[in-house]
Amino acid sequence: MIPKEAEPGNDTAGLLFYLYGPGKRDEHEDPHLVAAWDSGIPDPGRSEDFSIPDLAMLMDAPVRALLGKKPPLHVFHVPVRNAPTDRVLTDAEWARVAREMMHAAGIAPDSDDQGCRWVAVRHAADHIHIVATRAREDGRQPDTSWSKLRMQEAARRFEVEFGLRRLTHGDGTARKWPKTGEAEKAERRGLSENPRKTLQRVVREAAATAASDADFFERLATAGLRVKKRIAPDGHVTGYSVALPGDRNRELKPVWFPGTRLAADLSLPRVRERWSGPPVNTSVTPAAMWRAAAEKVAAAADQLGAGGLHEGAGDVAALGDLIAVSAVVAPYLVRSQMRRAAYEFERAGRAPSARQMEGQARELYRESSYVLSRSVSTVGRNDTVAALGFLLALVTAVQASQRWHDAQEHRAQAEAAGRAGRLLHEAVEVTTGANAARAYRPRSKRGAVSKGSGRRAAAAPSARLMSGVVQEAVADHAREVLADPAWPALRAQLVEVEKAGEDPAEVLATVAARRELTSADSVAEVLVWRLEGWRRQRSSVDVASGRATPAAPAGSQGRSGPASKQGTPQSARQTPGEEQQRKGPKQGR
């Protein structure tokens, strides 16, 4: 839950008209009052006898009655928003939130009938807007000097009570979120992500693999960004700003973002920390890059944090850079999972403590980043067989970082590492399924073979009970799988396999036998991921052979086929942010 105190204003009626209106693009749905300073206040959105100007006049009355100097900006405005993944709160729950926020802010303390007048308007499922006027009934102005901190503390309590996503504030490691105007402008331009997010990713990838100031700025320029350096009178570079080509303000000037506004660890001093240690050894042949990187990552996982708190902070920072680089060079079939993992791990790489940059684990992670970034240009990116060992080592490293954060009581960082670990685990299983498909040789042909395809004709989805397929293919896990919440998703994958002309029992047995299942928290979910990898690999083979043009996998944002030289349609090959990159930055080296 995020309460965000907006800039103060002076037009109560204007703000209320906006909140009760359709929004800028008809995004407001069913605007209505959920709470107010007086429970008897009618809702102007649902009353024929009480209008928005009437409500604004009532709220402004104490301001007009002030005898002394009136505050020039008397409107107090606080949107309170939940995460998209949170459950939807009821109006009664939002009313409780609004009252507590007004108490915490000092606008209308509990048991104080002389507090300010306020209302809470809801026009969406995930947030409310609280509007108040800064004038108490007794003629004094409220003390809101600690309003932001106290509202954040109240939000943390509601997260626990309502079972919402728990956030942490005050340690200086939170992500720099885009402003409302940035998101709206990106939507108007038809971009897949806002410029700040694109710049964060591209700058982080450049910083992760650069070896010097000159190398860093060259990588930014090669990626297509506009770069502006801040140079001190003595000639030294003390900072930098970046902008996307075409991203301009109302005056048609480029919108510049200093590194520190992108993320706490992307300021120039923090970027320079990455190459402050000894030179990195990258004497690895391109053909051996995945194996060499896997060995280094596995060795580093055993040493992460062994040198104490400050060394551990440097270790997790280097691991975050490695995941960012891995997302760039990962096989196409798991590119979407890897990019989301890098995004989720970002905060886990920023421990709220001082850092030492000479740790053994950090050095190994840095070497792995250099190996991957400098070898990918001469080796195939789509080699899922070679990449699987590296992905397994990366999962182990992220789990080690989560344990370290837990031991240091870094709750937000531990949760971020956990989310990234789950996405990496998904990438591992998708890769496992793809590798199984590459090595697959059908054992039998139980149906008629379709002419010219080499596959049996697809049977109707209802021709076989998929529960029977599970009992036939994975008998030892059948009872567990059929009772799992992920069983409907697994059944849907099996139906798609059968529609493609494959024997679902044979395919399921093949992917299940590829790696052990006994350690899985959810066998059904693991099998869903493996079958997704199977289908992506088989679809890419069909495209390469000219047999079919596959649709993008359900729920996937990654590429479903090989590079454009194989003939894959652009819509099927697009990954998150690629539309932005075509218009702005190119992919970094």
Side-chain angles (χ1 to χ4, degrees), residues 137-195:
E137 301 285 357
D138 56 12
R140 296 184 293 116
Q141 294 185 26
D143 179 10
T144 59
S145 55
W146 295 95
S147 58
K148 294 181 181 179
L149 176 61
R150 290 171 177 168
M151 286 191 293
Q152 291 289 346
E153 292 173 346
R156 302 294 82 78
R157 295 192 294 270
F158 279 118
E159 288 165 0
V160 175
E161 179 181 350
F162 293 157
L164 308 176
R165 178 174 177 178
R166 298 178 65 185
L167 306 177
T168 298
H169 70 283
D171 65 4
T173 65
R175 179 179 290 119
K176 305 292 185 181
W177 294 98
K179 297 180 179 179
T180 303
E182 296 174 27
E184 292 174 349
K185 184 167 68 172
E187 186 175 343
R188 288 195 305 270
R189 294 178 60 193
L191 304 179
S192 59
E193 60 185 13
N194 62 77

Side-chain angles (χ1 to χ4, degrees), residues 16-184:
L16 291 174
F17 269 114
Y18 169 74
L19 297 179
Y20 273 98
K24 295 182 178 180
R25 292 171 304 282
D26 298 323
E27 71 272 19
H28 294 178
E29 298 179 359
D30 186 26
H32 61 280
L33 206 68
V34 296
W37 81 95
D38 185 334
S39 59
I41 297 297
D43 184 353
R46 297 179 177 180
S47 173
E48 296 181 356
D49 302 322
F50 190 74
S51 66
I52 291 176
D54 293 334
L55 177 59
M57 186 179 299
L58 277 180
M59 295 182 65
D60 284 340
V63 179
R64 294 195 302 270
L66 290 175
L67 298 177
K69 184 178 180 181
K70 296 177 176 57
L73 300 174
H74 65 276
V75 180
F76 183 86
H77 177 205
V78 179
V80 186
R81 187 180 301 272
N82 285 342
T85 54
D86 286 337
R87 70 176 180 87
V88 177
L89 301 186
T90 65
D91 281 355
E93 289 172 326
W94 276 122
R96 279 195 56 207
V97 171
R99 294 188 187 96
E100 182 59 30
M101 290 298 170
M102 291 296 91
H103 168 74
I107 292 290
D110 292 343
S111 304
D112 183 355
D113 58 3
Q114 298 297 305
C116 300
R117 297 184 177 185
W118 61 272
V119 294
V121 179
R122 182 179 188 181
H123 56 211
D126 62 349
H127 70 277
I128 59 172
H129 291 261
I130 308 174
V131 181
T133 49
R134 294 175 182 268
R136 292 170 49 86
E137 301 285 357
D138 56 12
R140 296 184 293 116
Q141 294 185 26
D143 179 10
T144 59
S145 55
W146 295 95
S147 58
K148 294 181 181 179
L149 176 61
R150 290 171 177 168
M151 286 191 293
Q152 291 289 346
E153 292 173 346
R156 302 294 82 78
R157 295 192 294 270
F158 279 118
E159 288 165 0
V160 175
E161 179 181 350
F162 293 157
L164 308 176
R165 178 174 177 178
R166 298 178 65 185
L167 306 177
T168 298
H169 70 283
D171 65 4
T173 65
R175 179 179 290 119
K176 305 292 185 181
W177 294 98
K179 297 180 179 179
T180 303
E182 296 174 27
E184 292 174 349

Side-chain angles (χ1 to χ4, degrees), residues 299-311:
D302 296 333
Q303 301 178 37
L304 191 148
L309 174 61
H310 294 172
E311 186 172 303

Side-chain angles (χ1 to χ4, degrees), residues 143-478:
D143 179 10
T144 59
S145 55
W146 295 95
S147 58
K148 294 181 181 179
L149 176 61
R150 290 171 177 168
M151 286 191 293
Q152 291 289 346
E153 292 173 346
R156 302 294 82 78
R157 295 192 294 270
F158 279 118
E159 288 165 0
V160 175
E161 179 181 350
F162 293 157
L164 308 176
R165 178 174 177 178
R166 298 178 65 185
L167 306 177
T168 298
H169 70 283
D171 65 4
T173 65
R175 179 179 290 119
K176 305 292 185 181
W177 294 98
K179 297 180 179 179
T180 303
E182 296 174 27
E184 292 174 349
K185 184 167 68 172
E187 186 175 343
R188 288 195 305 270
R189 294 178 60 193
L191 304 179
S192 59
E193 60 185 13
N194 62 77
R196 184 190 296 266
K197 185 175 180 180
T198 301
L199 292 171
Q200 284 174 338
R201 185 183 69 250
V202 176
V203 173
R204 187 173 302 282
E205 291 167 358
T209 53
S212 64
D213 280 23
D215 189 15
F216 173 62
F217 290 122
E218 181 182 352
R219 287 175 181 276
L220 295 180
T222 302
L225 302 188
R226 304 185 67 170
V227 182
K228 181 171 61 176
K229 302 176 185 178
R230 185 171 68 248
I231 302 177
D234 61 2
H236 287 86
V237 179
T238 60
Y240 72 98
S241 298
V242 289
L244 281 180
D247 185 23
R248 298 179 178 274
N249 57 22
R250 293 180 179 177
E251 290 74 32
L252 299 181
K253 296 180 180 179
V255 179
W256 294 99
F257 289 84
T260 188
R261 279 181 53 199
L262 295 177
D265 57 342
L266 293 180
S267 65
L268 187 57
R270 291 290 303 273
V271 168
R272 284 170 169 161
E273 288 179 348
R274 291 165 165 86
W275 53 77
S276 61
V280 175
N281 177 20
T282 58
S283 57
V284 176
T285 62
M289 74 164 193
W290 290 117
R291 178 181 54 79
E295 292 174 353
K296 293 177 184 296
V297 172
D302 296 333
Q303 301 178 37
L304 191 148
L309 174 61
H310 294 172
E311 186 172 303
D315 293 343
V316 295
L319 177 57
D321 284 346
L322 173 59
I323 299 175
V325 173
S326 303
V328 177
V329 304
Y332 294 129
L333 297 184
V334 292
R335 186 74 57 80
S336 61
Q337 285 92 347
M338 295 298 295
R339 278 194 166 172
R340 296 201 304 274
Y343 180 78
E344 290 293 350
F345 192 83
E346 180 185 322
R347 189 167 189 182
R350 292 194 292 266
S353 58
R355 298 162 304 285
Q356 289 180 1
M357 298 301 164
E358 295 78 28
Q360 183 66 22
R362 177 187 180 273
E363 183 179 347
L364 289 169
Y365 288 141
R366 288 287 288 162
E367 289 177 1
S368 300
S369 297
Y370 274 67
V371 164
L372 294 181
S373 65
R374 282 156 173 74
S375 300
V376 72
S377 61
T378 54
V379 72
R381 293 189 180 190
N382 213 26
D383 190 353
T384 55
V385 176
L388 180 57
F390 171 77
L391 293 177
L392 286 168
L394 206 56
V395 169
T396 302
V398 170
Q399 291 172 343
S401 74
Q402 184 176 7
R403 290 192 298 270
W404 182 81
H405 280 304
D406 280 330
Q408 310 303 324
E409 298 184 354
H410 300 158
R411 180 168 56 82
Q413 284 78 6
E415 291 175 355
R419 294 191 298 271
R422 174 178 169 79
L423 287 163
L424 288 172
H425 184 201
E426 180 180 346
V428 165
E429 299 302 344
V430 169
T431 303
T432 299
N435 290 343
R438 293 177 65 171
Y440 177 64
R441 297 294 182 272
R443 292 191 297 269
S444 62
K445 300 292 182 183
R446 302 186 182 184
V449 177
S450 59
K451 185 177 180 179
S453 68
R455 296 187 183 183
R456 69 185 185 89
S462 58
R464 302 177 65 184
L465 290 175
M466 292 306 164
S467 58
V469 168
V470 171
Q471 292 167 347
E472 176 183 349
V474 286
D476 293 343
H477 301 282

